[in-house]
């Protein structure tokens, strides 16, 4: 393994934490004897191009410093290549790191962990979801939750968590169950009414909401959580349980373990790892062992 590794940085992650996190992470890696090259981009496309160039040039690892948005970009660069991915999670949600039990908002500890893993061969091969040529690591959301994302992204006068709280209230006011057509593992098409359908490679989205609480990232399967038709009142009762994962026992909730799923619904945009994937229809496939993540022993 080459001793030169690449630090892939989003300086704006977590309201500026990305820029501050890069230095202690890089110091921890240099102290362990690694040569560190930092990659920034003028925008997401430029950053991804530079990350892919580093991987193609044979970097020893791509260490992503940022939130779930940057982790998503990093996955596009390393998936299927064999290049290890290190995670320095300093964003707002950090769901990818959370699912893997990695340090959150502690860049020095994350840098030391990555360095030890590189020296000792400590890594975990995990599955990824794939939609077309796009990869995702945590959860693909569609339905009520993705409409909240849509509305929140359109709000310009407020920011932070409060923006999404307002978006939830607005979507509740307009809420109606969504007619879906789904196909699991290439089987028969089912027509269902649902509040949302979440396709989980990982367990959480939205900064710790355990929508797919029992998902395993190395079992070769998605956990698909279907929240069926609910009234507004029932949805208000179920929604808080998502933070503990206890919503899975509610009668309106079903879970399917599958390797692929086709989703069709009008007027629904899918989000994965917090990033827009585009409107339905789409087919998501679980790809076993698609990426090596630097982890502890």
């Amino acid at each position: 393994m080459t001793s030169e590794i690449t630090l892939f940085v989003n300086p704006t992650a977590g309201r500026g934490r990305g820029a501050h996190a890069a230095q202690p992470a890089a110091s921890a890696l240099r102290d362990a004897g690694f040569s560190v090259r930092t990659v920034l981009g003028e925008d997401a496309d430029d950053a991804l191009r530079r990350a892919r160039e580093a991987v193609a040039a044979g970097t020893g690892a791509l260490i992503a410093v940022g939130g779930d948005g940057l982790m998503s970009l990093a996955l596009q660069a390393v998936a299927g290549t064999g290049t290890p991915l290190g995670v320095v999670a300093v964003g707002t949600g950090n769901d990818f790191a959370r699912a893997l039990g990695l340090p959150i908002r502690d860049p020095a500890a994350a840098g030391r962990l990555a360095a030890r893993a590189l020296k000792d061969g400590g890594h975990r091969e995990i599955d990824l979801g794939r939609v077309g040529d796009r990869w995702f690591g945590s959860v693909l959301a569609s339905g009520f939750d993705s409409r909240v994302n849509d509305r929140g992204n359109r709000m310009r006068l407020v920011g932070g968590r409060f923006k999404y709280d307002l978006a939830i209230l607005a979507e509740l006011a307009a809420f109606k169950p969504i007619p879906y057509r789904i196909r699991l593992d290439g089987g028969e098409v089912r027509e269902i009414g649902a509040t949302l359908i979440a396709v989980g490679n990982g367990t959480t989205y939205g900064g710790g909401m355990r929508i797919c609480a029992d998902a395993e990232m190395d079992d070769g399967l998605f956990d698909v959580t279907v929240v069926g038709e609910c009234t507004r009142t029932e949805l208000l009762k179920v929604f808080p349980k998502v933070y503990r994962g206890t919503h899975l026992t509610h009668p309106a909730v079903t879970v399917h373990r599958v390797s692929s799923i086709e989703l069709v619904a009008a007027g629904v945009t899918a989000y994965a790892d917090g990033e827009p994937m585009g409107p339905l229809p789409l087919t998501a496939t679980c790809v076993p062992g698609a990426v090596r993540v630097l982890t502890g022993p």
Side-chain angles (χ1 to χ4, degrees):
M1 182 201 70
T2 177
S3 64
E4 182 177 281
I5 60 176
T6 302
L7 209 63
F8 185 38
V9 181
N10 178 1
T12 64
R15 298 181 182 178
R17 282 193 295 267
H20 296 294
Q23 184 173 351
S27 295
L29 290 158
R30 290 190 177 106
D31 288 346
F34 292 97
S35 172
V36 179
R37 173 176 172 262
T38 299
V39 167
L40 298 168
E42 296 178 2
D43 53 31
D45 290 340
D46 183 53
L48 178 55
R49 178 184 62 80
R50 292 169 185 259
R52 283 176 165 156
E53 287 174 353
V55 170
T59 187
L62 188 71
I63 313 294
V65 183
D68 286 324
L70 189 79
M71 300 307 157
S72 177
L73 277 182
L75 290 177
Q76 313 312 310
V78 300
T81 67
T83 299
L85 173 67
V87 178
V88 180
V90 292
T92 303
N94 303 309
D95 288 295
F96 186 69
R98 182 177 284 105
L100 290 164
L102 297 174
I104 292 174
R105 300 195 186 111
D106 189 343
R112 290 192 297 269
L113 183 149
R116 286 197 304 271
L118 284 166
K119 285 179 173 290
D120 301 338
H123 67 268
R124 180 179 174 189
E125 292 191 358
I126 67 166
D127 312 330
L128 293 178
R130 188 165 190 171
V131 177
D133 61 356
R134 294 272 302 278
W135 301 89
F136 67 93
S138 297
V139 176
L140 182 147
S142 75
F144 176 78
D145 43 9
S146 64
R147 286 181 172 172
V148 168
N149 250 324
D150 279 339
R151 187 178 289 269
N153 289 341
R154 292 194 301 268
M155 291 181 175
R156 303 300 181 194
L157 299 180
V158 291
R161 183 70 221 177
F162 183 60
K163 174 170 70 173
Y164 289 97
D165 290 339
L166 287 178
I168 287 171
L169 292 173
E171 283 301 317
L172 277 171
F175 172 72
K176 291 181 181 178
I178 298 166
Y180 282 89
R181 286 187 289 128
I182 67 171
R183 187 196 303 265
L184 305 175
D185 283 339
E188 293 183 359
V189 173
R190 307 183 192 183
E191 296 189 1
I192 62 172
T195 301
L196 64 87
I197 298 178
V199 182
N201 183 56
T203 53
T204 67
Y205 63 8
M209 299 172 68
R210 298 176 56 79
I211 187 68
C212 300
D214 296 330
E216 298 285 347
M217 298 183 84
D218 55 5
D219 63 355
L221 297 172
F222 292 133
D223 275 31
V224 177
T225 299
V226 179
V227 179
E229 297 190 41
C230 294
T231 64
R232 290 187 187 89
T233 301
E234 196 65 24
L235 184 56
L236 283 169
K237 291 179 181 177
V238 173
F239 204 71
K241 296 182 178 182
V242 175
Y243 287 95
R244 301 186 302 277
T246 54
H247 64 292
L248 297 181
T249 61
H250 190 278
V253 177
T254 55
V255 177
H256 308 274
R257 289 194 170 91
V258 300
S259 59
S260 69
I261 180 170
E262 297 176 36
L263 291 170
V264 180
V268 175
T269 299
Y271 284 75
D273 297 341
E275 300 297 309
M277 293 290 281
L280 302 188
L282 62 76
T283 299
T285 303
C286 184
V287 181
V291 67
R292 296 169 60 202
V293 180
L294 298 173
T295 59

